[in-house]
């Protein structure tokens, strides 16, 4: 199995620098980091990838069995770390990827030496004594939204989307392709993401951890950021002056500054 | 459409007055009026989503007052929770990355608790130095379209369920067919003292029901009987005849193992059962094995009803047909005569029975030539002296090689007397 090809792994930046692994969340693909990359490439070796089922990954490697748990996605991360033989890398995970990073770091502690959690949430659904922000019915609504929007996905387009990562001239044709996902796979990833509960896993985090939250984030409200911060001993919480769930896109400067500052302190 | 109306078309003097009136009324439609009362919703937001401008059409759909919206709500506040999630995970990132996004299906909440399915398009307006300033959004009422799409989705899900059901039914049917098919063939060949036996069966029909059959069974204290045959046709109808044939021969042999007697009984049974508009018949070789414990040799007596002749592979490396000319197809006439033959198998000799699926396999580039009797005899000769198992395996490999040239079911049965074991030659 060629993991690099399967997960559309891109390695860039300074080959002598510490490795930073950028992991996208549910919805789009590694293009989510396009404004983050320039801030890192001079000093760090940067690894980008798409989870199996997202972006330009090998869709034939997707199996419902494996990817109905975050552990399946964490296995992608572990296998990428092993394929590249990473040591002491910094894992930057957006949204659900922050929790996938926690699981992966627990499995290969020598390979992941620090975590940056961008807009993390360990549990999206409200429970007694915990407010994640959503009810189970809300998640069903999201699944309906997924069914109503294929975002340029069609079975005939798939080969074009998958096979032309390096051909920007196909741009118009590939409109929305960053988020184009096989609807059946998107549905599984959405369920896996929004029905996950990784609160217990936070306690096991033993590496330096930076938590980035936004002032206004529907998906990861500030109570959740505080919960994560409190659960991970020694973690740093920074509240970015940003709205929405994707500060790396809506407030790239502030996000980059927080990440590079954290990375500099690790050295 | 965009003419001002100041200059009515001079080439059309008759309608000049009416056009003037029409254009005058268009003048009334100011840009502001067009914005407010357009047949779609308009709104503009700051980059953080705060609504700074919204038209009357959209306010009307939402059932909200302008004062409670502008500067107070964000675009996502207008959406259902599922829509908010979708907005944050897909819509907003794409809008940021592409600067525009169109035709996204969302739902807006109304003040009275209702919901309106809408199609949303947004574009980012940039300032003179390229910095993003605000987001312009249009919102189209998609109630009719959404109900149509829901119909399509429902239909697709129903089709999906039907397909799954069909697959499950198909799997069940195949299991049932496999059980029936197994009832037409012996599960294992019995061990015959002083002999070895091997068989192979391959069906060409997709439902796995074949029209070839074989069997080997004890007929009395020391002798065994065997048969191998081919029912005309394929599929379930042939399988029904196969079933009748197999159990008739077994019963007939129990009564009288003489080959001609057994085939005569079968002929009567088939003719009686299938003498109407759908005549069915078969070709078959039926035989008995009588081992002589003193010499180790086995006497084979067989009778054929129209079946291709058996091959005898000798220990000396030769192979020859055991002719049974003149035997009639079984079941086609009220009375039939059958050809008999006798041979003796010594150490290292093997009797090979087969059906014409083998000899009539289409070979060659264009699949137009038939494999043929002589090719089979020559191949058998090259394996003469080997164990029945080895002979059957060689022929099974040959069948594999035919690929799509194999049109018919094929059955093989090899019965042999083991050669005296020389050195380490595993034959069992």
């Amino acid at each position: 199995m060629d993991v690099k090809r399967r997960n559309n792994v891109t390695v860039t930046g300074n080959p002598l620098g510490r490795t930073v692994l950028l992991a996208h969340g549910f919805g789009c693909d590694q293009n989510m980091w396009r404004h983050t990359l320039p801030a890192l490439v001079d000093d760090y070796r940067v690894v980008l990838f798409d989870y199996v089922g997202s972006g330009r990954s090998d869709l034939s490697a997707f199996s419902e069995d494996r990817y109905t748990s975050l552990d399946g996605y964490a296995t992608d991360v572990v296998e990428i770390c092993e394929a590249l033989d990473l040591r002491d890398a910094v894992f930057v995970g957006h949204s659900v990827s922050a929790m996938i990073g926690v699981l992966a770091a627990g499995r290969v502690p020598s390979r992941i030496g620090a975590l940056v959690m961008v807009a993390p949430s360990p549990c999206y659904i409200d429970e007694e004594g915990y407010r994640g922000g959503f009810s189970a019915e809300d998640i069903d609504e999201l699944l309906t939204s997924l069914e109503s929007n294929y975002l340029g996905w069609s079975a005939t387009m798939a080969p074009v989307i998958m096979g032309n990562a390096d051909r920007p001239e196909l741009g118009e044709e590939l409109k929305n392709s960053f988020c184009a996902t096989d609807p059946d796979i998107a549905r599984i990833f959405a369920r896996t993401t929004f029905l996950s509960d990784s609160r217990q896993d936070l306690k096991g985090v033993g590496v330096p951890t930076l938590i980035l939250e936004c002032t206004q984030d529907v998906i990861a409200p500030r109570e959740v950021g505080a919960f994560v911060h409190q659960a991970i001993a020694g973690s740093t919480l920074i509240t970015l002056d940003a709205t929405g769930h994707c500060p790396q896109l809506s407030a790239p400067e502030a996000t980059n500054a927080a990440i590079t500052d954290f990375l500099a302190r690790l050295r | 459409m965009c003419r001002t109306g100041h200059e009515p078309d001079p080439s059309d003097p008759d309608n000049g007055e009416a056009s003037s009136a029409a254009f005058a009324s268009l003048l009334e439609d100011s840009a502001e009026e067009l914005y407010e009362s357009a047949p779609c919703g308009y709104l503009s937001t700051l980059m953080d989503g705060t609504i700074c401008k919204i038209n009357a059409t959209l306010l009307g759909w939402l059932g909200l007052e302008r004062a409670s919206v502008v500067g107070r709500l964000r675009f996502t506040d207008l959406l259902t929770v599922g829509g908010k999630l979708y907005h944050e995970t897909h819509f907003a990132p794409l809008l940021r990355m592409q600067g525009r996004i169109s035709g996204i299906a969302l739902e807006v909440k109304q003040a009275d608790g209702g919901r309106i399915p809408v199609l949303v398009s947004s574009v980012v307006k940039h300032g003179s130095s390229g910095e993003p300033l605000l987001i312009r959004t249009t919102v189209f009422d998609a109630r009719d379209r959404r109900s149509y799409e829901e119909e399509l989705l429902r239909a697709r899900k129903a089709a999906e369920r039907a397909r799954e059901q069909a697959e499950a039914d198909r799997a069940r049917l195949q299991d049932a067919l496999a059980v029936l098919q197994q009832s037409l063939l012996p599960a294992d060949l019995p061990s015959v003292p002083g002999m070895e036996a091997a068989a192979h069966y391959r069906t060409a029909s997709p439902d796995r029901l074949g029209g070839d059959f074989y069997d080997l069974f004890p007929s009395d204290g020391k002798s065994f009987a065997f048969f191998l045959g081919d029912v005309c046709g394929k599929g379930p109808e042939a399988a029904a005849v196969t079933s009748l044939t197999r159990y008739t021969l077994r019963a007939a042999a129990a009564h009288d193992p003489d080959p001609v007697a057994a085939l005569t009984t079968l002929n009567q049974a088939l003719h009686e059962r299938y003498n109407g508009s759908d005549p069915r018949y078969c070709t078959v070789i039926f035989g008995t094995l009588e081992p002589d414990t003193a010499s180790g040799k086995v006497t084979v007596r067989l009778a054929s009803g129209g079946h291709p002749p058996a091959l005898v592979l000798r220990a000396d490396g030769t192979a020859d047909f055991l002719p049974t000319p003149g035997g009639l197809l079984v079941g086609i006439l009220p009375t039939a005569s059958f050809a008999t033959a006798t041979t003796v198998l010594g150490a290292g000799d093997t009797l090979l029975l087969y059906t014409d699926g083998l000899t009539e396999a289409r070979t060659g580039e264009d699949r137009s030539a038939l494999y043929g009797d002589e090719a089979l005899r020559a191949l058998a000769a090259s394996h003469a002296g080997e164990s029945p198992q080895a002979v059957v395996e060689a022929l099974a490999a040959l069948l594999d090689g035919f690929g799509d040239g194999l049109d018919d079911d094929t059955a093989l049965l090899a019965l042999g007397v083991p050669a005296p074991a020389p050195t380490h030659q595993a034959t069992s």
Side-chain angles (χ1 to χ4, degrees):
Chain A
M1 172 185 57
D2 182 352
V3 172
K4 287 187 237 178
R5 187 189 191 123
R6 183 193 68 183
N7 287 95
N8 187 29
V9 174
T10 315
V11 182
T12 181
N14 183 344
L16 302 175
R18 186 170 183 172
T19 301
V20 177
L21 204 58
L22 298 177
H24 70 86
F26 164 73
C28 296
D29 64 11
Q30 58 182 272
N31 281 289
M32 289 292 281
W33 299 109
R34 60 167 54 169
H35 297 317
T36 315
L37 207 49
L40 299 176
V41 287
D42 287 344
D43 297 323
Y44 301 95
R45 178 176 177 237
V46 184
V47 176
L48 293 142
F49 68 95
D50 298 332
Y51 286 108
V52 170
S54 301
R56 291 172 181 82
S57 64
D58 178 3
L59 296 193
S60 67
F62 188 87
S63 87
E64 182 163 356
D65 271 359
R66 171 162 167 163
Y67 294 103
T68 41
S69 78
L70 290 188
D71 258 324
Y73 290 94
T75 303
D76 275 19
V77 174
V78 167
E79 287 170 355
I80 290 165
C81 288
E82 285 168 351
L84 299 176
D85 195 21
L86 303 185
R87 304 277 166 190
D88 212 23
V90 181
F91 182 93
V92 181
H94 175 226
S95 190
V96 68
S97 252
M99 299 313 305
I100 293 169
V102 166
L103 299 176
R107 284 167 57 181
V108 284
S110 65
R111 299 190 183 277
I112 297 176
L115 292 174
V116 178
M117 309 173 84
V118 182
S121 174
C123 182
Y124 296 88
I125 295 180
D126 296 337
E127 269 187 27
E128 203 176 329
Y130 175 83
R131 206 180 90 77
F134 298 96
S135 65
E137 295 74 51
D138 295 337
I139 304 307
D140 287 341
E141 263 189 17
L142 168 67
L143 299 180
T144 307
S145 294
L146 284 173
E147 279 181 346
S148 312
N149 288 294
Y150 281 23
L151 282 177
W153 174 268
S154 71
T156 52
M157 274 297 291
V160 182
I161 294 172
M162 296 309 137
N164 292 285
D166 307 320
R167 295 180 58 193
E169 71 273 18
L170 291 172
E172 190 52 34
E173 238 183 319
L174 297 183
K175 201 161 73 169
N176 300 341
S177 70
F178 310 126
C179 292
T181 311
D182 179 324
D184 293 334
I185 293 178
R187 159 171 274 272
I188 292 165
F189 195 5
R191 287 185 63 86
T192 304
T193 296
F194 291 104
L195 301 180
S196 65
D197 181 356
S198 314
R199 284 175 291 172
Q200 293 307 316
D201 299 297
L202 294 175
K203 304 260 188 286
V205 175
V207 295
T209 300
L210 171 67
I211 301 155
L212 299 179
E213 63 171 9
C214 300
T215 47
Q216 295 282 343
D217 182 351
V218 179
I219 293 187
R222 293 197 57 189
E223 294 110 295
V224 172
F227 179 93
V228 175
H229 175 44
Q230 188 256 324
I232 301 179
S235 61
T236 306
L237 173 67
I238 293 180
T239 307
L240 298 166
D241 183 16
T243 49
H245 187 55
C246 306
Q248 71 271 51
L249 289 175
S250 64
E253 292 84 7
T255 307
N256 293 347
I259 293 174
T260 52
D261 186 51
F262 174 74
L263 292 175
R265 282 166 206 254
L266 288 176
R267 280 192 283 195
Chain B
M1 198 58 202
C2 293
R3 292 174 61 175
T4 62
H6 287 299
E7 293 163 312
D9 189 345
S11 68
D12 192 8
D14 293 345
N15 288 335
E17 204 171 319
S19 316
S20 291
F23 286 130
S25 66
L26 269 176
L27 272 179
E28 292 297 309
D29 200 8
S30 67
E32 188 59 25
E33 173 65 14
L34 177 61
Y35 178 83
E36 287 299 337
S37 308
C40 65
Y42 283 122
L43 84 165
S44 302
T45 70
L46 302 178
M47 290 311 291
D48 72 359
T50 305
I51 296 169
C52 45
K53 197 165 158 66
I54 182 167
N55 76 346
T57 305
L58 186 50
L59 285 171
W61 289 349
L62 297 170
L64 294 174
E65 295 298 322
R66 191 178 307 269
S68 63
V69 174
V70 173
R72 290 172 179 271
L73 295 183
R74 290 193 164 85
F75 174 54
T76 49
D77 293 329
L78 308 181
L79 303 175
T80 57
V81 181
K84 283 187 180 63
L85 279 167
Y86 192 82
H87 181 273
E88 293 301 321
T89 52
H90 293 78
F91 190 102
L94 277 175
L95 182 59
R96 287 283 182 169
M97 287 193 275
Q98 302 179 153
R100 59 174 60 241
I101 186 166
S102 58
I104 302 300
L106 296 169
E107 283 190 328
V108 293
K109 295 182 295 187
Q110 296 175 287
D112 63 5
R115 295 161 170 219
I116 306 181
V118 291
L119 285 174
V120 179
S121 297
S122 289
V123 57
V124 176
K125 176 185 163 64
H126 293 90
S128 52
S129 56
E131 77 283 9
L133 288 181
L134 53 87
I135 299 167
R136 288 170 171 156
T137 299
T138 52
V139 179
F140 286 88
D141 182 341
R143 275 176 281 210
D144 284 351
R145 174 152 294 271
R146 188 66 61 84
S147 51
Y148 173 62
E149 285 172 357
E150 279 166 4
E151 280 306 314
L152 289 179
L153 270 177
R154 256 198 293 280
R156 202 185 70 160
K157 284 179 179 165
E160 185 68 16
R161 276 195 300 276
R163 190 183 61 79
E164 282 167 10
Q165 184 63 46
E167 276 179 7
D169 288 349
R170 192 180 132 98
R172 209 174 48 240
L173 194 59
Q174 290 218 328
D175 289 347
L177 288 175
V179 170
L180 283 180
Q181 176 63 38
Q182 279 156 17
S183 78
L184 303 181
L185 297 170
D188 302 296
L189 295 178
S191 68
V192 182
M195 291 193 81
E196 282 179 14
H200 181 77
Y201 190 86
R202 181 169 313 209
T203 168
S205 106
D207 51 21
R208 299 192 290 176
L209 276 181
D212 288 3
F213 57 91
Y214 65 84
D215 207 349
L216 172 64
F217 52 97
S219 63
D220 59 37
K222 59 184 178 97
S223 57
F224 280 74
F226 62 87
F227 57 80
L228 178 141
D230 182 358
V231 164
C232 69
K234 285 192 279 194
E237 295 84 359
V241 182
T242 305
S243 182
L244 176 60
T245 299
R246 179 177 188 216
Y247 292 104
T248 300
L249 283 175
R250 293 279 305 230
H255 179 66
D256 180 357
D258 172 66
V260 171
L263 291 188
T264 302
T265 303
L266 175 62
N267 187 67
Q268 287 168 353
L270 283 182
H271 185 72
E272 186 276 323
R273 169 67 184 78
Y274 292 105
N275 64 355
S277 59
D278 181 29
R280 294 272 164 180
Y281 52 89
C282 67
T283 67
V284 60
I285 288 180
F286 182 100
T288 56
L289 304 169
E290 288 158 37
D292 175 22
T293 41
S295 67
K297 293 185 175 181
V298 177
T299 303
V300 181
R301 292 175 211 284
L302 55 80
S304 170
H307 197 80
L311 265 166
V312 183
L313 289 61
R314 296 294 179 190
D316 64 5
T318 61
D320 290 294
F321 289 106
L322 183 60
T324 41
L328 282 176
L329 295 173
V330 185
I332 209 158
L333 294 173
T335 56
S337 62
F338 302 108
T340 60
T342 300
T343 189
V344 175
L345 301 178
D349 295 346
T350 292
L351 177 77
L352 174 67
L353 303 172
Y354 56 91
T355 56
D356 61 10
L358 173 58
T359 46
E360 292 179 4
R362 290 173 294 115
T363 60
E365 286 278 293
D366 56 356
R367 300 278 187 219
S368 61
L370 299 184
Y371 181 66
D373 296 338
E374 182 47 33
L376 174 62
R377 195 204 59 76
L379 181 75
S382 73
H383 291 278
E386 296 179 12
S387 71
Q389 185 65 39
V391 171
V392 164
E393 279 171 12
L395 289 172
L398 175 72
L399 292 174
D400 287 338
F402 288 144
D404 64 0
L406 205 56
D407 290 332
D408 203 357
D409 305 327
T410 306
L412 302 170
L413 178 62
L415 306 163
V417 178
T423 47
H424 307 299
Q425 197 176 353
T427 52
S428 56

